[in-house]
């Protein structure tokens, strides 16, 4: 049996099992018979196994250089290093859809394990049915449109190779998988929302849904930061975010899921905002499909659009179906979930709703900015672009508003304002003013000074919340403050995890303000042996050599860097910057060297070189402050999310009685 035959059969089996699971879920609802629900649960495992077998067959074909399989012939080569072959399945369209489908079956199976526990049998058929329907879509796309195992009649002796941008950095092994775990993970909250609206059980769904959304949000956060890092190190521009359409496509569902996580807290505590929660989670999942449509359809050009093909119409139809299902159901039940009470804006629920509306607005702005060039071209045929200046102008005031709200929200009590809140707000405003004035006193720009103030403001808010909790616990139980702190951190993981995430966001804003304001770039052509002094650095070009590697040719420019003043602190060392030449690309691909330090990043790029005599090279140096702390901030946000989720005791019991499977 060949890998292509095995993979194709497994794909068809996965599609049939998904259809069977969808049918069994429907029967479980209409016949009210638990046997069909249990059969659907078992079917979810079968579809997972079939998807895993298909994925393994693709890996088999790549590792054995089976160029009779179209995907291998078009996206792999025998000279690729082993690690590149292992990650090649998600390097192009068909393989990435297969990875999506595999993860979809994994999530469906995990949800099936919750049936009869936190997922009651009223909602379970709808939730499983929705997830099986999503599976059907992806497997149908592969079987009928983007088949990764199409046979090549006359297999070439060598494949075309993997996209050089993807094989030029090890982050390819990490970032796409995290992104898919986040994207696919949002299908579970969507399925729970659909089930809640169909079963007309509007409260119990929110507890477990919030947990699933946190899982997806954590993966998306990690994916966005690893994507920033990948862009920063590999694309040669020295930047971590360019408001590229595909970068935006990953940000939109993250913003909408963040909005949901804020309003979900209010529904858990007060039973409010049901409509908002259904809307946000529907839009968040729809945004993942929208992002995939942008990435795979080819309607928008992007440096990150690593795959395109004839699936655009399919994803567009699926996107419209998701929107119609979620928002159509919301319209149907809107009378039943209408809020009875009034929301006070000066309460915590008011601040959480304001925060959620902010994130929703931000997502809308990103969508408009991303699609505007396409709209103009369709309307008039003119080519326009919406670049970083537009997004920066819009996002800066929105970011300031977000940081202000982020500090206020946790210190406000539910429903009513108390006197201590006024004292806390006064302390936070003093911290903001102090940080701002310190920034100005150091000669920093207004924007950076404001970022320092907002960081101090949020740090003070978190400190006040922690101190208040420790003080109350120590007084109530007669404990020393240190023990009260650790007990509080261990028992209130959700609160402490949120504090860690908020600190990460504030630190990221500070790092972005510094790195965007004080970035320095210069380039110079040097003769071999010549030294160049700039910004406290002495950079000497040591030699210019070439190297033939298995899958590429490289031009190497070893340099020696020495700090000659305080401005160049932390940059000393010998580095080797290079240009890689891949057979698949007409122009070389730079591989910069980055010297990280706590304050400045030193980024060296080989731009050009003397190809005849090897006597000179053009080097670019980029000095960017505080970028290191951006990665620390991303780590804090992921750590805080993991702290909330760990251990998995967050399965809140359903508040509505759950019958047995029967």
């Amino acid at each position: 049996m060949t890998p292509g035959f095995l993979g194709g059969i497994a794909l068809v089996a996965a599609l049939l099992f998904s259809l069977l699971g969808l049918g069994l879920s429907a029967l479980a609802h209409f016949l009210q018979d638990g046997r069909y629900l249990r059969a659907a649960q078992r079917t979810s495992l079968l579809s997972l196994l079939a998807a895993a077998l298909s994925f393994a067959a693709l890996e088999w074909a790549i590792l054995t250089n089976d160029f009779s399989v179209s995907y291998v012939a078009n996206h792999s080569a025998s000279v690729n290093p082993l690690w590149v072959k292992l990650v090649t399945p998600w390097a192009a369209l068909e393989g990435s859809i297969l990875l999506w489908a595999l993860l979809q079956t994994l999530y469906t199976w995990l949800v099936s394990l919750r049936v009869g526990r936190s997922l009651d049998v009223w909602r379970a058929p709808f939730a499983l049915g929705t997830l099986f329907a999503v599976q059907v879509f992806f497997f149908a796309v592969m079987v009928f449109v983007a088949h990764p195992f199409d046979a090549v009649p006359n297999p070439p002796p060598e494949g075309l190779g993997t996209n050089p941008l993807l094989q030029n950095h090890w982050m390819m092994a990490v970032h796409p998988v995290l992104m898919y775990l986040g994207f696919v993970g949002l299908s579970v909250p969507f399925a729970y929302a659909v089930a809640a609206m169909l079963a007309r059980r509007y409260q119990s769904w929110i507890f477990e849904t919030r947990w699933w959304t946190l899982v997806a949000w954590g993966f998306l956060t990690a994916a966005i930061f690893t994507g920033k890092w990948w862009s920063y190190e590999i694309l040669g521009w020295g930047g971590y975010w360019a408001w590229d359409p595909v970068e935006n496509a990953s940000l939109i569902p993250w913003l909408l899921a963040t909005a949901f996580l804020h309003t979900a807290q209010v529904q858990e505590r007060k039973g409010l905002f049901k409509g908002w929660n259904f809307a946000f989670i529907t839009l968040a999942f729809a945004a993942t499909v929208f992002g995939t449509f942008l990435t795979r359809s080819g309607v928008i050009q992007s440096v990150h659009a690593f795959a395109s093909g004839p699936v655009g119409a399919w994803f567009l139809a699926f996107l419209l179906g998701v929107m119609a299902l979620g928002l159509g159901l919301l319209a149907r039940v809107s009378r039943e979930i209408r809020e009875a009470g009034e929301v006070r804006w000066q309460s915590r629920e008011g601040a959480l709703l304001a925060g959620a509306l902010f994130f929703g607005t931000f997502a809308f702005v990103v969508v408009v900015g991303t699609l505007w060039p396409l709209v103009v071209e369709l309307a008039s045929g003119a080519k326009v672009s919406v670049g970083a200046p537009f997004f920066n102008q819009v996002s800066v005031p929105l970011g300031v508003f977000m940081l202000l709200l982020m500090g206020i929200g946790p210190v406000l009590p539910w429903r009513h304002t108390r006197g201590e809140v006024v004292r806390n707000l006064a302390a936070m405003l003093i911290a903001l003013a102090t940080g701002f004035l310190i920034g100005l006193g150091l000669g920093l720009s207004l924007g950076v000074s404001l970022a320092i103030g907002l960081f101090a403001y949020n740090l003070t808010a978190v400190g006040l919340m922690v101190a208040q909790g420790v003080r109350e616990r120590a007084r109530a139980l007669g404990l020393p403050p240190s023990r009260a702190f650790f007990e509080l951190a261990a028992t209130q993981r959700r609160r402490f995890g949120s504090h860690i995430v908020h600190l990460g966001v504030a630190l990221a804003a500070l790092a972005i303000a510094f790195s965007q304001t004080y970035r320095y770039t210069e380039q110079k052509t040097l003769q071999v042996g010549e030294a160049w002094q700039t910004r406290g650095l002495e950079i000497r070009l040591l030699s210019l050599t070439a190297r033939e590697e298995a899958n590429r040719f490289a031009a190497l420019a070893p340099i020696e860097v020495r700090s000659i003043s305080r401005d160049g602190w932390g940059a000393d060392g010998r580095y080797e910057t290079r240009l890689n030449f891949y057979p698949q690309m007409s122009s070389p691909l730079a591989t910069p060297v980055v010297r990280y330090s706590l304050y400045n990043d030193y980024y060296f790029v080989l731009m050009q070189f003397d190809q005849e005599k090897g006597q000179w090279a053009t080097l670019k140096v980029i000095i960017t402050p505080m970028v290191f702390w951006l990665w620390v901030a991303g780590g804090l946000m992921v750590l805080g999310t993991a702290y909330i989720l760990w251990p998995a005791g967050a399965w809140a019991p359903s508040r509505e009685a759950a019958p047995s499977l029967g």
Side-chain angles (χ1 to χ4, degrees), residues 372-438:
W372 188 248
L374 181 63
V375 172
V376 171
E377 186 174 352
L378 289 175
S380 64
K383 296 275 187 184
V384 299
S385 62
V386 178
F390 164 78
F391 289 106
N392 289 338
Q393 285 184 359
V394 173
S395 62
V396 168
L398 287 174
V400 170
F401 181 65
M402 176 197 72
L403 290 168
L404 285 171
L405 268 182
M406 197 173 71
I408 292 173
V411 303
L412 288 176
W414 298 98
R415 290 291 189 191
H416 301 290
T417 305
R418 297 196 296 261
E420 64 188 39
V421 174
V422 177
R423 291 193 293 275
N424 287 340
L425 287 176
M428 291 158 56
L429 290 175
I430 290 172
L432 193 159
T434 305
F436 180 69
L437 291 174
I438 288 175

Side-chain angles (χ1 to χ4, degrees), residues 48 89 103 238 260 286 291 297 349 374 503 548 560 622 636 638 645 650:
L48 169 61
L103 295 177
F260 169 79
S297 65
E349 53 264 43
L374 181 63
L503 279 178
E548 188 74 37
E560 182 179 58
I622 303 172
L636 280 176
V638 175
L645 294 170

Side-chain angles (χ1 to χ4, degrees), residues 301-512:
Q301 296 301 312
S302 163
V303 69
H304 293 98
F306 294 121
S308 61
V311 299
W314 284 65
F315 274 92
L316 182 59
F318 186 56
L319 170 64
L320 295 175
V322 168
M323 297 279 285
L325 177 62
L327 299 183
L329 286 173
L330 178 56
R332 194 185 73 161
V333 304
S334 58
R335 287 179 179 274
E336 301 171 28
I337 60 175
R338 184 169 298 169
E339 311 290 356
E342 181 183 348
V343 177
R344 291 172 177 266
W345 288 103
Q346 64 272 31
S347 64
R348 186 176 297 184
E349 53 264 43
L352 289 169
L353 179 59
L357 292 176
F358 155 78
F359 286 113
T361 303
F362 200 168
F364 177 74
V365 168
V366 177
V367 170
V368 170
T370 305
L371 289 181
W372 188 248
L374 181 63
V375 172
V376 171
E377 186 174 352
L378 289 175
S380 64
K383 296 275 187 184
V384 299
S385 62
V386 178
F390 164 78
F391 289 106
N392 289 338
Q393 285 184 359
V394 173
S395 62
V396 168
L398 287 174
V400 170
F401 181 65
M402 176 197 72
L403 290 168
L404 285 171
L405 268 182
M406 197 173 71
I408 292 173
V411 303
L412 288 176
W414 298 98
R415 290 291 189 191
H416 301 290
T417 305
R418 297 196 296 261
E420 64 188 39
V421 174
V422 177
R423 291 193 293 275
N424 287 340
L425 287 176
M428 291 158 56
L429 290 175
I430 290 172
L432 193 159
T434 305
F436 180 69
L437 291 174
I438 288 175
L440 291 181
L442 292 173
L444 301 175
S445 70
L446 282 176
V448 172
S449 299
L450 180 60
I452 294 174
L454 287 168
F455 180 74
Y457 165 88
N458 279 282
L459 195 64
T460 303
V462 170
L464 287 170
M465 289 300 93
V466 173
Q468 182 180 330
V470 169
R471 192 167 53 246
E472 290 174 355
R473 189 175 186 86
R475 188 185 304 135
L477 301 178
L479 300 174
S482 59
R483 184 175 171 187
F485 170 80
F486 287 111
E487 286 191 3
L488 205 63
T491 56
Q492 298 192 9
R493 289 183 295 276
R494 185 163 157 179
R495 177 185 295 183
F496 271 70
S498 299
H499 291 333
I500 295 171
V501 171
H502 282 185
L503 279 178
V505 174
L507 181 59
L510 187 65
I512 290 170

Side-chain angles (χ1 to χ4, degrees), residues 612-625:
E612 295 182 358
K613 299 180 180 178
Q615 294 298 310
W616 58 266
T618 301
L619 299 175
K620 181 164 74 173
V621 60
I622 303 172
I623 304 173
T624 317

Side-chain angles (χ1 to χ4, degrees), residues 187-202:
S187 68
V188 178
F190 174 69
Y192 274 67
V194 169
M197 288 187 280
L198 285 171
R200 286 188 156 81
R201 295 181 176 275
Y202 307 122

